[in-house]
Amino acid sequence: MGHTHRVLVVGNHCHDVLLKNDVVIAESLGGAVSFISNILPNLSINADFISKVGPNFLYSPLNPPLVVPTSSTTVFHAHFSTSSSSSLGQNPLPDRTLKRVSACDPIRPHDLPNPDPGGKYRFGMAVGVGGEILPETLRKMVRVCDVVFVDVQGLIRKFDENDGTVTLTKLCKTDFIDIIPEIGVLKASAEEAEFIDVEEVRKVCCVVVTYGENGCRVFWKDGEVKIAPFSTIQVDPTGAGDSLLGGFVGGLVHGLAVPDAALLGNFFGSLTVVQIGLPKFDPKLLKRVKDEVQKRSLQCAKHRVGNKDELWFSKPPGHDEFHAVLDSTRQAYTPSPQEVEHDQPYSHDQVTRPINACINNLCNGKTVLHDSVYDGPIQSVERMP
């Protein structure tokens, strides 16, 4: 009997702290696995989530992570610099400087489930953010999943030993390069794509490159296709690519062709950037989207050719109409940035209180978070216990 779960998602939860001009503006549950677990269940997809946190973990996700008593939860600080004094919702944040302040233990092969013979996962998702995906762990995912999707950020990120600043290294210089021919899809941002040699990688696996407000592009050995974006106002870019990947895999689970699944990914990415941190989706929007995905899946089935288990790259008839339906749904149920600013996940008062508290501490020469993810001052990686 096949495995009852269709998807295996591997990556650590973390604490995200957003700072504007070195002042804390928001704290949120973070990590790619958090954004993906916010999408797959909402698309009625059964999945296993493997994640690690420390005893100081602050949140209660739907899929409880493994708590490592001797480790600290992974923490990232996203620094946004702007001279504007406008409120967050009225003045979208520019690009960020990301720093890893602490890192939880990596996820090891024995942390992954061992399905019975014939019970492999249909899809696996390796979505590390803080160095938690090891080469040996990715190799096991290849063994227990039919098709593995990999977010390249978990493979090429490097972290400064002094302050945790995130930089990138070339994929060919990592220990993961020999595993790439065994995976199904590699996802990268436009910045990350410069470190992976898309033209070479596309010869051995599918590559999805995201371009923010310009949508994404899918590359494979014999061609490529551009997937249109959904116009929106960016408030916080955190998690947009993670949501895109979650929507993409969710679409494939429901039987969409690759271009339609990528379009669904763009859709969820556009919903993510209009909110701070982990987004909240309107239940009516989700129901409408699931209904439309089901209709689209039936339409795609009429045009499918070849092996039904192969990734299907050609744009099927009606792709543009599917985009129009999703766009109208998004416009009908998505709040404006001004509404989000005074609603979830942070109200104006909730944001102002930590800002004021942090300013007071900054004046005393310390950077301490109000209701912080720590019980003490922010520390660099080398000073972490």
Side-chain angles (χ1 to χ4, degrees):
M1 181 179 294
H3 202 284
T4 57
H5 294 83
R6 301 295 303 276
V7 183
L8 174 65
V9 186
V10 180
N12 284 347
H13 289 289
C14 64
H15 293 155
D16 281 347
V17 182
L18 279 63
L19 303 97
K20 180 179 177 182
N21 295 331
D22 293 326
V23 175
V24 175
I25 54 176
E27 300 174 31
S28 173
L29 172 63
V33 67
S34 302
F35 287 88
I36 292 170
S37 66
N38 194 36
I39 290 175
L40 295 185
N42 280 320
L43 291 176
S44 301
I45 294 172
N46 201 6
D48 278 340
F49 295 87
I50 307 299
S51 180
K52 289 183 177 179
V53 298
N56 62 334
F57 189 56
L58 292 175
Y59 303 94
S60 300
L62 294 176
N63 304 276
L66 303 172
V67 178
V68 183
T70 57
S71 184
S72 180
T73 300
T74 299
V75 177
F76 280 97
H77 289 173
H79 294 262
F80 300 94
S81 177
T82 174
S83 60
S84 173
S85 60
S86 301
S87 64
L88 182 63
Q90 296 171 333
N91 183 56
L93 296 171
D95 290 338
R96 62 186 178 175
T97 298
L98 195 62
K99 297 184 178 183
R100 187 187 69 177
V101 178
S102 69
C104 194
D105 284 357
I107 299 171
R108 303 186 184 280
H110 66 259
D111 296 317
L112 307 184
N114 294 300
D116 296 330
K120 294 175 67 174
Y121 290 90
R122 181 67 183 94
F123 297 114
M125 301 179 70
V127 290
V129 293
E132 69 269 32
I133 300 293
L134 304 175
E136 54 266 35
T137 304
L138 183 57
R139 288 189 185 279
K140 181 169 181 180
M141 290 188 68
V142 169
R143 294 197 301 271
V144 303
C145 303
D146 289 331
V147 181
V148 176
F149 293 72
V150 178
D151 192 330
V152 79
Q153 68 179 358
L155 313 187
I156 65 174
R157 278 185 172 181
K158 298 296 181 182
F159 309 95
D160 185 91
E161 293 182 357
N162 294 317
D163 66 0
T165 298
V166 179
T167 57
L168 304 177
T169 189
K170 289 186 178 296
L171 179 62
C172 63
K173 295 182 178 180
T174 72
D175 294 332
F176 295 96
I177 187 63
D178 293 336
I179 312 175
I180 300 304
E182 302 178 55
I183 70 172
V185 179
L186 187 70
K187 173 256 176 188
S189 67
E191 178 187 8
E192 293 161 348
E194 298 178 7
F195 293 81
I196 68 173
D197 194 347
V198 173
E199 290 305 312
E200 286 300 314
V201 175
R202 68 189 292 186
K203 296 176 182 178
V204 297
C205 73
C206 173
V207 180
V208 178
V209 180
T210 63
Y211 298 95
E213 63 181 9
N214 295 316
C216 67
R217 191 179 292 269
V218 181
F219 301 85
W220 65 98
K221 183 178 180 180
D222 300 320
E224 63 185 74
V225 61
K226 181 179 180 181
I227 308 300
F230 294 86
S231 179
T232 190
I233 298 177
Q234 176 176 288
V235 174
D236 174 18
T238 306
D242 307 323
S243 295
L244 182 150
L245 188 57
F248 181 47
V249 172
L252 292 176
V253 171
H254 281 289
L256 297 184
V258 168
D260 286 349
L263 186 65
L264 187 64
N266 280 351
F267 173 80
F268 278 104
S270 72
L271 295 180
T272 298
V273 299
V274 300
Q275 300 186 44
I276 303 173
L278 200 67
K280 293 186 180 296
F281 303 127
D282 188 312
K284 294 180 180 179
L285 177 146
L286 293 172
K287 184 179 184 307
R288 175 74 181 274
V289 168
K290 285 190 288 187
D291 289 344
E292 294 301 332
V293 167
Q294 181 63 31
K295 292 178 184 178
R296 185 61 184 156
S297 177
L298 294 175
Q299 293 172 357
C300 290
K302 297 179 181 179
H303 301 280
R304 183 177 294 278
V305 295
N307 189 321
K308 67 178 182 179
D309 291 328
E310 292 178 354
L311 291 176
W312 183 30
F313 296 105
S314 301
K315 268 189 181 181
H319 177 82
D320 293 339
E321 288 77 2
F322 185 47
H323 182 282
V325 169
L326 291 178
D327 194 35
S328 63
T329 300
R330 182 185 60 83
Q331 294 184 40
Y333 295 105
T334 303
S336 67
Q338 289 77 15
E339 292 173 319
V340 170
E341 180 182 2
H342 296 283
D343 190 11
Q344 297 293 338
Y346 294 94
S347 70
H348 177 74
D349 289 341
Q350 286 174 313
V351 173
T352 302
R353 281 198 296 271
I355 287 177
N356 292 337
C358 192
I359 289 175
N360 291 335
N361 285 312
L362 285 169
C363 292
N364 293 327
K366 297 185 297 183
T367 303
V368 183
L369 305 186
H370 177 74
D371 293 333
S372 154
V373 293
Y374 282 130
D375 291 326
I378 300 173
Q379 303 177 52
S380 67
V381 171
E382 67 175 3
R383 295 197 298 271
M384 288 300 299

